Amino acid sequence: MFFVRSLSSRIFQKNRSVCKTFTYSNKRFLRKISLCGQYDFDLLVIGGGSGGLACAKEASSFGKQVVVLDFVIPSEKGTTWGIGGTCVNVGCIPKKLMHQASLLGESIQEARSYGWNIPDPISFNWESLVEAVQNHIKSVNWVTRVQLRDKKIEYVNGHGVFEDAHTVIAKMKNGKERRITAKDIVIAVGGRPRYPDFPGCKEYCITSDDLFSMPTSPGNTLVIGAGYIGLECAGFLKGLGYEATVMVRSMLLRGFDRGMVDLVQAEMEHKGVNFLNGKIPVKVSKQPNGKLLVEWKGGDEIGQGEFDTVLVATGRKALSEELNPSAAGLQIHPESFKIITNAEQTNIPNIYAVGDVLHERPELTPVAIQAGKLLAGRLYNGIQEQMDYDNVATTVFSPLEYGCVGLTEEEAINRYSENKIEVYHAYYKPTEFFIPQKNVKHCYLKVITLLEAPQKVLGMHFIGPQAGEVIQGYAAAIKAGLTYQHLKDTVGIHPTVSEEFTRVAITKRSGDDPTPQSCCS
């Protein structure tokens, strides 16, 4: 036993590229050798976001030597952050927290109707919210670093660029460089907001990279872009008491069900969010009073307006180009600049990719996490399971949330033809909306099925409170082969909004009114 330990120590001191794990017991000595060969590590992960970290931690659990590179290039406004990626620092987490702050403000107002004595007026402090959000983010950054240390995953705060298919140069903040080699490499660098090309944009506009840590309140805000990021930001800003306007070039929430999107917009307008439809920005300039003058056009119409903040949310660009991909021979899509893969494997056999950097894959944190875990399992634990990118549920955290899973009505028609699908739909009235007399006009759901029995469910869509919580359970059911008959046979929990899916019975084809007469009709 002493000889083996001494020998292993000498080998490791002589050649650190040989990676070994030893397991001891009273009865026997088991020796497991993980050979990195001529490489420093078994696995190098470029990108410390959700997908990369999930892959790294899973690979480490299988006894592999892993290194994670992560580096945040400051935004145009100088904003930067710690390890954890977009979701933790400037995405899902701060967005949901600010959305919750907005909902709480609305709930405080409604509380008066339920008998609570609330001082009038109530006030909101942006600086306090930002401090609380940033403190939470920093705690997650710290926990992430601790997890990497506990799992013996090396963390390098450096910007990685390829030298060849097995070699990455990590460029540090202090200007130094470190050359790292690995048998396998996983790209998980995600993307950053894309700046439109018009005068004054980069000089005066912010993006979602900057919004959640703004030291002063945004005030009257123009959001350029009508994807889910733009609508969510406009929604919670309005809920926090700021004027919010959304500039829409063509359509809201491209890729989502059009009927549901129309209701999302109608509800946002009801809440006081303004929309500039069919407009594109031409120029942003700073005025002597500190305001930002935005000029826009739409067809033959030219307009302008003054705002305190202009937030651009016109899509995101993958960070693949920053990796010097040609040095590794990587195939990049010429239009999206995203990485083309087959089951997360690129055209270079030892290089893989997960998350938002993938071409034609959902840009969602849980997708990246699942794909990263499964990839590590296939590489190092002999599993065969592939990532299933179909029927991935998502939610838009607009003021009245929109959750969905599966096909949109338009996709179902295109795939199966209109005469082979059935669309069940219903408006409904959340019980908690009655006393404060909240608007129920846009609380709506639809279930898209095949017409032929047993009517397999193709898609489910829900607009209403807690939409994400509602749709998550039905997403599991769809994975398990949910049919309309299953929904009919399910007894709902009353009174909840989720039970409305178990009661839906009116089809679009029938032409009957889907509006209920009471909460229990």
Side-chain angles (χ1 to χ4, degrees):
M1 182 69 73
F2 174 77
F3 169 76
V4 174
R5 281 177 169 169
S6 300
L7 177 62
S8 70
S9 176
R10 290 198 298 272
I11 292 173
F12 185 75
Q13 294 296 329
K14 184 177 180 180
N15 183 3
R16 295 189 65 184
S17 67
V18 179
C19 311
K20 295 176 170 58
T21 301
F22 294 93
T23 303
Y24 301 94
S25 70
N26 292 331
K27 295 183 178 179
R28 61 182 177 173
F29 168 63
L30 300 176
R31 184 169 180 259
K32 301 177 182 179
I33 298 180
S34 170
L35 288 178
C36 302
Q38 68 268 40
Y39 306 115
D40 301 325
F41 295 91
D42 293 301
L43 175 65
L44 184 158
V45 176
I46 309 175
S50 302
L53 291 173
C55 186
K57 288 185 283 189
E58 192 79 353
S60 175
S61 72
F62 301 134
K64 299 302 174 181
Q65 292 293 106
V66 183
V67 59
V68 173
L69 269 63
D70 187 63
F71 189 84
V72 179
I73 297 175
S75 72
E76 293 291 335
K77 295 299 180 184
T79 308
T80 188
W81 50 87
I83 192 168
T86 297
C87 176
V88 166
N89 293 282
V90 290
C92 320
I93 300 304
K95 176 271 302 290
K96 182 67 180 296
L97 293 173
M98 290 197 170
H99 173 66
Q100 175 65 10
S102 171
L103 295 180
L104 285 173
E106 187 175 355
S107 296
I108 291 171
Q109 298 288 1
E110 295 168 11
R112 293 189 176 97
S113 301
Y114 281 96
W116 287 94
N117 296 317
I118 307 296
D120 192 15
I122 60 171
S123 62
F124 167 75
N125 186 279
W126 170 266
E127 291 77 11
S128 296
L129 174 61
V130 168
E131 181 181 8
V133 169
Q134 292 303 312
N135 284 343
H136 174 69
I137 290 171
K138 287 179 175 61
S139 73
V140 178
N141 297 151
W142 183 81
V143 169
T144 301
R145 293 287 297 274
V146 171
Q147 287 180 331
L148 293 181
R149 183 193 64 196
D150 290 346
K151 293 179 180 295
K152 297 178 172 56
I153 297 170
E154 184 168 348
Y155 165 62
V156 178
N157 186 208
H159 183 257
V161 294
F162 280 103
E163 181 177 275
D164 59 47
H166 288 279
T167 309
V168 171
I169 306 299
K171 300 182 178 182
M172 311 301 183
K173 189 175 182 179
N174 61 8
K176 294 183 179 180
E177 294 185 352
R178 176 179 169 185
R179 188 174 183 269
I180 303 174
T181 62
K183 179 178 180 294
D184 298 315
I185 296 175
V186 171
I187 301 168
V189 293
R192 296 286 289 273
R194 186 190 306 275
Y195 277 91
D197 185 17
F198 59 85
C201 183
K202 288 187 177 181
E203 293 86 346
Y204 302 117
C205 299
I206 68 168
T207 70
S208 55
D209 281 355
D210 311 297
L211 177 63
F212 304 110
S213 57
M214 284 182 65
T216 57
S217 66
N220 183 7
T221 301
L222 172 67
V223 177
I224 300 174
Y228 71 92
I229 295 174
L231 295 190
E232 289 174 340
C233 291
F236 71 66
L237 287 174
K238 180 60 183 177
L240 296 175
Y242 306 110
E243 288 301 310
T245 302
V246 179
M247 183 178 290
V248 188
R249 181 186 64 179
S250 55
M251 65 172 63
L252 277 68
L253 295 174
R254 186 183 301 275
F256 287 83
D257 187 281
R258 301 324 303 165
M260 306 302 288
V261 171
D262 289 343
L263 290 173
V264 170
Q265 180 175 358
E267 177 64 20
M268 290 186 70
E269 289 174 333
H270 176 77
K271 290 283 176 65
V273 177
N274 303 309
F275 285 86
L276 294 171
N277 295 305
K279 306 292 189 297
I280 58 173
V282 174
K283 181 181 179 181
V284 176
S285 56
K286 195 162 189 176
Q287 302 302 291
N289 61 1
K291 302 280 188 179
L292 297 177
L293 179 66
V294 182
E295 302 173 38
W296 61 78
K297 66 178 182 179
D300 297 329
E301 181 185 345
I302 298 176
Q304 62 179 27
E306 282 191 349
F307 302 90
D308 297 307
T309 300
V310 179
L311 169 69
V312 290
T314 53
R316 299 175 66 82
K317 63 176 181 180
L319 296 180
S320 54
E321 291 180 291
E322 296 182 1
L323 301 174
N324 190 25
S326 60
L330 286 171
Q331 184 180 1
I332 306 296
H333 192 273
E335 295 179 1
S336 69
F337 300 106
K338 293 190 174 187
I339 298 175
I340 300 171
T341 60
N342 180 16
E344 292 80 52
Q345 186 176 43
T346 71
N347 62 303
I348 306 302
N350 71 294
I351 302 179
Y352 305 82
V354 297
D356 294 3
V357 77
L358 294 186
H359 180 61
E360 292 187 338
R361 294 304 187 195
E363 296 183 9
L364 297 168
T365 296
V367 170
I369 293 172
Q370 181 85 332
K373 287 181 177 180
L374 292 176
L375 173 60
R378 292 197 304 277
L379 289 176
Y380 306 123
N381 199 38
I383 72 166
Q384 302 299 316
E385 186 180 356
Q386 302 281 348
M387 176 65 194
D388 183 1
Y389 290 98
D390 289 332
N391 293 324
V392 174
T394 190
T395 292
V396 180
F397 290 96
S398 44
L400 192 60
E401 298 171 5
Y402 167 33
C404 59
V405 60
L407 300 182
T408 67
E409 187 173 346
E410 294 79 18
E411 289 170 337
I413 291 172
N414 289 337
R415 185 175 300 187
Y416 296 101
S417 78
E418 192 167 5
N419 61 356
K420 291 185 179 180
I421 68 167
E422 192 76 276
V423 179
Y424 294 88
H425 68 146
Y427 290 93
Y428 65 95
K429 299 176 181 180
T431 304
E432 58 269 34
F433 280 26
F434 289 150
I435 288 179
Q437 298 183 12
K438 290 182 65 174
N439 178 43
V440 299
K441 186 177 180 181
H442 306 123
C443 294
Y444 177 77
L445 61 86
K446 70 165 73 170
V447 180
I448 304 161
T449 76
L450 289 173
L451 182 61
E452 184 179 6
Q455 294 191 288
K456 179 182 177 180
V457 175
L458 305 174
M460 300 180 74
H461 300 261
F462 178 90
I463 292 179
Q466 302 295 326
E469 309 297 338
V470 170
I471 212 68
Q472 182 67 83
Y474 290 108
I478 285 184
K479 285 285 189 183
L482 180 68
T483 68
Y484 178 67
Q485 187 63 45
H486 288 141
L487 284 178
K488 285 179 63 178
D489 292 342
T490 300
V491 177
I493 302 171
H494 188 69
T496 66
V497 291
S498 185
E499 76 167 321
E500 299 298 336
F501 273 124
T502 70
R503 294 157 28 112
V504 63
I506 295 173
T507 67
K508 279 192 171 184
R509 192 188 308 273
S510 71
D512 293 341
D513 183 5
T515 306
Q517 298 305 308
S518 73
C519 68
C520 302
S521 61

